[in-house]
Amino acid sequence: MASHQHLPNVVVDDDDDLVLAAAGGIRGGLMGSSQQLGGGLLVDLHASYLATSASVEASTTVFELAAASHLRMSGAYWGLCALSLIRKTNAMDINALVEWVASCQHSDSGGFGADTNHDAHILYTLSAVQILAIVDRMDAIDVKAAADYVAARQCADGSFTGDEWGERDTRFSYCAVSCLALLGRLDAIDVDAATTHVMSCMNFDGGFGCVPGGESHAGQVFTGVGALSIIDPQLRMLSEAQKRTMAAWLAERQTSKGGFNGRPEKLPDVCYSWWVLSALACLGKLHYIDGSKLRAFVLGCQNDERGGISDRPDDEADVYHTFFGIAGLSLLGLDTDVVDAVDARFALPEKVVERILLR
Amino acid sequence: MHGRRRVSASLASSPEFLEQSAAKAKSYRALLGAVLQASAAKSYLDKQIALSAKLCELNPEAATSWNYRKRATLANHNSENTPIGELPADLRVSVAEAELTVSEAALKRNPKSYCAWYHRRWVLDTWIGKDFAVKPFDAVLERECTLTEQFLSLDPRNFHGWGYRRYLAEFVGETPETELAFSRRLIERDLSNYSAWHHRSAVLPACHGSAAIGGGDAESESRWRGTMGAMSAAATHIPADTLLEEQDLWFQAAVTEPADQAAWVYARWVSGLGSRLEDPEARARVREKDVKQAREVLALEPDATWALVHLANALAAPLDASEADREEARRLYAQLAEVDVDRSGMYEEWARTL
């Protein structure tokens, strides 16, 4: 392992977040002492942590949340989806949420901003659609305009831009494919070109980078294999050798601490519980890693006083890691008494995906 | 956020703490509100542009603020929508430098900001374009190369910095040989630098395919892009002699630090390329060297996981494995299932499907 892991008291900046800055944690002392100690998932504490983080009041008075306004739509999706997985959506005001989501759709382009008055971007367009998918309220927005916005992001080489300013990234390929599949509009893009582009971002280690030649990291691997899995759940565009290399690289992300890192020789981080596991699930290789050790690592990152899950033990919790920790536990299937099943390709509750795809 | 130490419940609920947080939230919201308002009004006054710079520095991922700045450069300096190449050179340089300065300040706060790195690309593509090689534009590019080197020395694993370096290499038509030499320099400085190994894998095929990276002409650019990504067809055309040299490189690292994954992942790739060579004799040379080198590492450290994996995979190579090789590979996978128990499911499957 990297030598810096052995150095105590050194803060190593190790964040390679896929969607960047995590929505901040609640710093107010809102919870009483834990009622659920004993090694399991602190469901009630997390529910109240997530619900409070999502409140309008907190978003104006808690600095970390106010400063996360630029990704608030994703924060709302993480929070809602986590609550849905632990069966606590009643902790949220769904009508107010839907109204706010709809208010973030731009009437000119059809895309969604991260918050009211923020510019539209494909990242937040996907988050908005995911939220509405969970609560089954797609009627609240102009679906055709949203699909047109996403389709208009595709370039001649099959790649996707995030917005009108032209940044291209396989994250945006995933956003496009996932979003359009949820809207029932995959026909709006050139799926073969999208596939070819994602494949051109495959690397020597079997993973995917942001662009051709970009280094693999586990989050990016999920976007690649997730997009390809939505296009073809059998992943027939990948050779057996490619699948094997990719799965081995993903399995090798598990560190001796049980948690996963995002790239070789990096520290473990709860969010990769999701990125690595979901990619392994797409490949049908969840048995390549030690699930119970991973579970222990995630549970050890819970804040047992105020709720929420952090990147590593004893760090401050946030909504992003809380969601990816819970979603990772869901894929492991060791806590089915308190966590619903998640769909690895869409990062949504399985029952939501079934409802939409069977429609 | 990452790496933020947990605050105790008593501190987090103290009135001072809550007030401080609320005050900071209020001032941030005021700044954000002012920028969003200017953006909505399409108003690009100097003082508003200065506020957006402040916001970008404070929160480098505030995308709308960067977009506002892009629009402002176009509205204030090219309202007639003239082709940028026809605008005065000094103006173009000064616009570019002002934006690059804001981005640099933002990157100092967050060296992994997608928005701040992309802003640089947009500025170069839009305001400099193909004129980068001539005065006064060359100075802008010079600065970019220096900045990239600086960020990569601060954090040799910053994949944004690496991405920007590859972008610059393409932008100026750098040769893949230069990039290959650069990767070697960084590997030799730190054998554990996986990003440098990755970079090597991304440029090595280009050294045996197209002559130049980018170079501004569309055809060579697409050839370079086509060879980026090691799984492309071009990657399989790397000659055996080159693969044998690359095996020397990973061996140097593996024998120094057998537990470090970086070189072993590279070794796996080189091995895979070797196994796809058409000439059986060339294929055998690469494979035999794989086996020999892995055994040498194991002689030093009999339980070295990645050496065991490498040896087993080399022995199991589908085209060339004898029954005895397969038998040994099965034994090694069984050993791995014990020494690397977390991944025992993987090794058991590999043994079963051999």
Side-chain angles (χ1 to χ4, degrees):
Chain A
M1 286 287 93
S3 55
H4 56 232
Q5 281 185 284
H6 306 300
L7 298 173
N9 306 321
V10 175
V11 177
V12 181
D13 173 27
D14 212 43
D15 57 333
D16 286 337
D17 281 356
L18 190 67
V19 256
L20 243 275
I26 297 290
R27 291 195 166 195
L30 300 152
M31 267 54 89
S33 63
S34 166
Q35 74 279 40
Q36 293 170 324
L37 289 176
L41 186 67
L42 306 169
V43 174
D44 291 341
L45 270 184
H46 297 323
S48 106
Y49 169 81
L50 290 166
T52 317
S53 295
S55 77
V56 175
E57 201 217 331
S59 76
T60 57
T61 60
V62 179
F63 173 67
E64 283 74 16
L65 292 173
S69 167
H70 64 285
L71 47 67
R72 193 170 165 210
M73 188 66 74
S74 294
Y77 151 68
W78 298 324
L80 175 69
C81 195
L83 284 170
S84 174
L85 289 172
I86 57 175
R87 305 159 195 160
K88 300 279 183 188
T89 45
N90 56 2
M92 246 183 169
D93 182 344
I94 302 296
N95 285 332
L97 177 67
V98 170
E99 198 178 310
W100 168 73
V101 170
S103 77
C104 294
Q105 185 169 29
H106 287 237
S107 54
D108 51 353
S109 69
F112 287 75
D115 201 345
T116 42
N117 298 325
H118 286 246
D119 288 354
H121 196 284
I122 200 167
L123 285 168
Y124 309 113
T125 304
L126 172 62
S127 294
V129 167
Q130 286 170 315
I131 290 169
L132 299 173
I134 293 170
V135 299
D136 199 10
R137 285 295 311 278
M138 218 62 88
D139 62 281
I141 60 157
D142 184 340
V143 167
K144 184 181 179 303
D148 289 348
Y149 175 80
V150 173
R153 305 268 69 76
Q154 191 169 32
C155 309
D157 66 354
S159 66
F160 286 83
T161 58
D163 61 16
E164 71 206 86
W165 298 104
E167 184 179 11
R168 301 184 197 192
D169 192 310
T170 43
R171 291 179 300 148
F172 309 149
S173 298
Y174 173 78
C175 290
V177 168
S178 176
C179 192
L180 290 174
L182 293 171
L183 296 174
R185 286 297 316 281
L186 266 181
D187 62 304
I189 55 164
D190 184 338
V191 170
D192 288 344
T195 304
T196 304
H197 176 75
V198 170
M199 294 290 288
S200 77
C201 297
M202 187 182 266
N203 288 318
F204 79 126
D205 49 23
F208 295 96
C210 312
V211 293
E215 183 180 341
S216 301
H217 98 63
Q220 216 74 42
V221 176
F222 165 77
T223 65
V225 77
L228 297 179
S229 293
I230 292 171
I231 292 167
D232 175 13
Q234 310 297 316
L235 288 172
R236 278 166 293 201
M237 61 288 270
L238 296 176
S239 71
E240 287 309 308
Q242 286 171 326
K243 286 183 196 166
R244 177 181 165 128
T245 309
M246 192 188 301
W249 188 86
L250 288 165
E252 286 161 6
R253 304 282 54 75
Q254 185 159 35
T255 67
S256 56
K257 295 178 171 69
F260 291 164
N261 60 21
R263 297 188 281 161
E265 306 306 323
K266 288 280 198 174
L267 297 177
D269 178 327
V270 159
C271 67
Y272 296 116
S273 311
W274 170 258
W275 303 122
V276 173
L277 270 190
S278 59
L280 281 172
C282 291
L283 292 162
K285 302 293 184 195
L286 280 178
H287 57 286
Y288 276 18
I289 54 95
D290 187 328
S292 55
K293 265 179 88 170
L294 175 64
R295 177 176 182 269
F297 178 79
V298 173
L299 294 178
C301 293
Q302 299 182 102
N303 185 324
D304 59 17
E305 292 181 323
R306 291 178 286 137
I309 300 174
S310 50
D311 56 348
R312 285 187 272 280
D314 300 322
D315 278 352
E316 190 69 10
D318 58 62
V319 176
Y320 173 87
H321 288 91
T322 305
F323 168 61
F324 288 115
I326 290 173
L329 292 179
S330 168
L331 277 182
L332 288 174
L334 299 170
D335 295 273
T336 49
D337 53 332
V338 284
V339 186
D340 276 353
V342 70
D343 183 286
R345 299 179 297 156
F346 289 98
L348 289 170
E350 235 172 41
K351 60 187 182 203
V352 169
V353 174
E354 278 166 20
R355 180 200 342 116
I356 289 173
L357 297 189
L358 292 177
R359 191 167 279 169
Chain B
M1 293 290 183
H2 285 83
R4 212 151 45 91
R5 301 302 286 178
R6 189 172 293 176
V7 178
S8 73
S10 56
L11 176 61
S13 60
S14 70
E16 301 79 41
F17 190 93
L18 293 172
E19 274 165 31
Q20 204 182 23
S21 182
K24 276 169 76 187
K26 192 175 170 195
S27 97
Y28 181 82
R29 282 164 49 79
L31 177 61
L32 175 68
V35 173
L36 294 180
Q37 199 173 25
S39 178
K42 296 187 169 58
S43 170
Y44 306 108
L45 304 175
D46 285 350
K47 62 178 183 187
Q48 293 171 316
I49 294 170
L51 285 179
S52 83
K54 200 172 155 195
L55 179 57
C56 288
E57 282 177 39
L58 200 57
N59 183 357
E61 286 300 278
T64 304
S65 187
W66 292 109
N67 297 346
Y68 171 74
R69 298 194 66 80
K70 294 183 183 80
R71 279 190 210 100
T73 64
L74 297 172
N76 287 350
H77 304 296
N78 191 19
S79 55
E80 305 291 312
N81 211 8
T82 311
I84 300 268
E86 291 169 21
L87 294 173
D90 290 352
L91 170 72
R92 290 165 62 195
V93 169
S94 76
V95 169
E97 287 191 334
E99 294 309 309
L100 294 170
T101 301
V102 176
S103 157
E104 188 173 342
L107 288 174
K108 282 188 175 140
R109 176 172 284 255
N110 176 7
K112 295 184 178 178
S113 164
Y114 286 87
C115 289
W117 281 109
Y118 182 68
H119 197 65
R120 306 192 88 79
R121 287 195 186 201
W122 183 86
V123 167
L124 290 199
D125 286 341
T126 308
W127 285 94
I128 307 295
K130 292 186 193 311
D131 294 329
F132 60 83
V134 298
K135 280 189 187 310
F137 305 105
D138 55 345
V140 176
L141 202 70
E142 184 82 31
R143 166 193 169 142
E144 290 310 282
C145 294
T146 309
L147 173 133
T148 311
E149 293 252 358
Q150 279 168 354
F151 273 92
L152 285 182
S153 16
L154 283 173
D155 175 6
R157 295 296 306 279
N158 184 338
F159 70 83
H160 301 268
W162 280 99
Y164 194 62
R165 185 185 170 90
R166 278 184 284 270
Y167 160 79
L168 289 175
E170 248 186 85
F171 192 81
V172 303
E174 191 57 90
T175 65
E177 286 75 15
T178 310
E179 292 306 296
L180 195 70
F182 178 73
S183 77
R184 189 175 194 112
R185 214 163 72 229
L186 263 70
I187 288 167
E188 283 171 353
R189 195 181 298 164
D190 175 10
L191 296 169
S192 176
N193 186 347
Y194 188 79
S195 303
W197 290 101
H198 161 80
H199 190 64
R200 193 167 182 82
S201 80
V203 295
L204 188 67
C207 294
H208 296 276
S210 56
I213 302 174
D217 100 80
E219 196 191 340
S220 69
E221 193 167 320
S222 67
R223 271 189 289 134
W224 161 241
R225 282 190 176 282
T227 54
M228 277 286 203
M231 303 310 271
S232 67
T236 61
H237 295 141
I238 298 175
D241 286 344
T242 304
L243 297 180
L244 292 163
E245 283 169 26
E246 296 305 304
Q247 287 178 305
D248 290 335
L249 187 62
W250 72 247
F251 182 65
Q252 191 190 324
V255 86
T256 311
E257 185 47 85
D260 192 292
Q261 289 180 348
W264 290 109
V265 176
Y266 190 77
R268 180 180 295 169
W269 176 65
V270 173
S271 184
L273 295 176
S275 73
R276 293 204 292 277
L277 290 169
E278 275 180 30
D279 172 20
E281 193 268 333
R283 215 160 57 220
R285 280 162 67 211
V286 176
R287 179 168 175 257
E288 279 158 20
K289 191 163 176 174
D290 268 325
V291 170
K292 175 173 163 281
Q293 294 192 157
R295 287 198 202 282
E296 281 180 42
V297 176
L298 288 167
L300 299 170
E301 278 197 42
D303 279 347
T305 302
W306 313 125
L308 286 168
V309 173
H310 196 74
L311 177 59
N313 288 344
L315 287 168
L319 282 180
D320 301 289
S322 66
E323 192 38 53
D325 291 339
R326 270 193 286 271
E327 198 41 56
E328 187 180 357
R330 274 186 212 103
R331 267 202 315 277
L332 290 165
Y333 288 138
Q335 184 182 347
L336 276 163
E338 285 175 20
V339 298
D340 186 25
V341 66
D342 294 351
R343 280 169 281 272
S344 56
M346 177 169 82
Y347 302 124
E348 283 158 9
E349 184 175 292
W350 286 355
R352 267 201 314 278
T353 53
L354 205 81

